[in-house]
Amino acid sequence: MKYLGTMTNVDGVLEIGGVSVKELQEKYGTPLYIYDLEFMEKNIKDLKESFVSEKFKTTIVYASKAYLSKGMTQIIEKNGLDIDAVSGGELYTILTSNFPTKRVHMHGNNKSLEEIEMCVKNGIGSIILDNRFEAEKVALVCRKFNKKMNVMLRLNIGIDAHTHEYIKTSKHSSKFGESIFDKDVVKIVKDIVDRPELNFLGFHSHIGFRFLMS
């Protein structure tokens, strides 16, 4: 067994953060998810120190679909990361945790009008448009509430990630996002830029990990 973070073997019993998993099992039962806070914060620190550039601003964004609770949002906020959401439920959890709204980003390829309204009314940092049609939906909601929203457009840039064929998400034929090879891609971007309700920040791409360009 490979030990990570604060994991140790004490007389044949695994301890995490100085706490015996046997004690945790007796108190909380099983199955039980255990998170090593010290290890998490070390990884966050390493990421923040690694993704630094003298040429452009960088931001680490936590993907809430990995695991989300109010406690997790507090850890993310404490360590100065942004956070994303892909559903109304995730967005609700984040917003009710007093997380800074300007550091929240809404993803998802099938956002409902209700979810978009949550984003606009609460003034989150940005909405990542999955396709040309979402631009009109977001603009419609912005007009309804007389607000302006920061947006990015998800582009498939044709990078072939070395993973299973069924989960590759950056191919130009992907059903998610718009293809950079689409003959209408310039028109799609211009349409977003020309909408007074939208503040176009740049592009988003997902190739197995996520990065934002602005």
Side-chain angles (χ1 to χ4, degrees):
M1 179 177 179
K2 183 177 181 180
Y3 294 103
L4 300 173
T6 64
M7 295 169 61
T8 57
N9 184 326
V10 179
D11 298 327
V13 178
L14 178 66
E15 287 192 0
I16 302 175
V19 181
S20 164
V21 295
K22 185 177 180 181
E23 292 179 14
L24 292 172
Q25 180 269 327
E26 291 172 349
K27 183 174 181 179
Y28 298 105
T30 59
L32 178 66
Y33 286 97
I34 304 168
Y35 286 84
D36 187 337
L37 179 59
E38 182 178 321
F39 188 45
M40 288 170 52
E41 292 189 325
K42 178 187 180 301
N43 285 337
I44 290 172
K45 181 175 180 291
D46 290 344
L47 284 169
K48 292 175 71 174
E49 291 177 350
S50 299
F51 285 87
V52 176
S53 173
E54 296 178 352
K55 298 183 178 180
F56 50 84
K57 180 183 177 182
T58 60
T59 302
I60 305 296
V61 183
Y62 176 75
S64 61
K65 64 182 178 182
Y67 171 69
L68 183 65
S69 67
K70 289 187 175 182
M72 179 59 77
T73 62
Q74 292 166 2
I75 294 169
I76 299 304
E77 197 281 328
K78 171 190 170 186
N79 286 275
L81 273 61
D82 285 16
I83 194 168
D84 76 11
V86 295
S87 70
E90 290 178 351
L91 190 58
Y92 175 83
T93 300
I94 295 167
L95 294 175
T96 54
S97 301
N98 297 319
F99 194 91
T101 54
K102 292 301 181 183
R103 284 161 48 194
V104 179
H105 310 280
M106 187 67 174
H107 289 266
N109 54 59
N110 190 27
K111 305 177 192 71
S112 66
L113 282 174
E114 291 78 11
E115 288 169 337
I116 295 173
E117 286 188 1
M118 285 179 69
C119 296
V120 173
K121 287 193 294 185
N122 288 283
I124 71 165
S126 68
I127 294 177
I128 289 74
L129 304 173
D130 193 71
N131 53 64
R132 67 194 77 184
F133 309 108
E134 275 196 349
E136 173 58 31
K137 290 173 68 175
V138 175
L140 176 67
V141 173
C142 286
R143 289 195 296 270
K144 177 180 177 180
F145 294 102
N146 193 29
K147 291 192 175 184
K148 192 167 185 173
M149 174 57 63
N150 292 330
V151 299
M152 304 184 82
L153 175 65
R154 178 170 179 172
L155 281 184
N156 296 317
I157 54 180
I159 294 178
D160 189 11
H162 298 289
T163 185
H164 195 283
E165 180 68 22
Y166 290 167
I167 60 174
K168 292 180 180 180
T169 57
S170 59
K171 299 183 299 181
H172 68 88
S173 59
S174 173
K175 64 182 179 180
F176 307 120
E178 296 286 355
S179 172
I180 199 171
F181 303 105
D182 192 308
K183 63 181 177 62
D184 295 324
V185 68
V186 174
K187 181 179 181 298
I188 293 167
V189 174
K190 186 176 186 303
D191 175 67
I192 296 171
V193 172
D194 289 344
R195 291 181 182 274
E197 307 90 351
L198 308 181
N199 180 33
F200 182 60
L201 299 180
F203 301 104
H204 162 82
S205 186
H206 186 185
I207 58 173
F209 62 93
R210 294 180 179 181
F211 64 94
L212 302 179
M213 301 179 292
S214 60

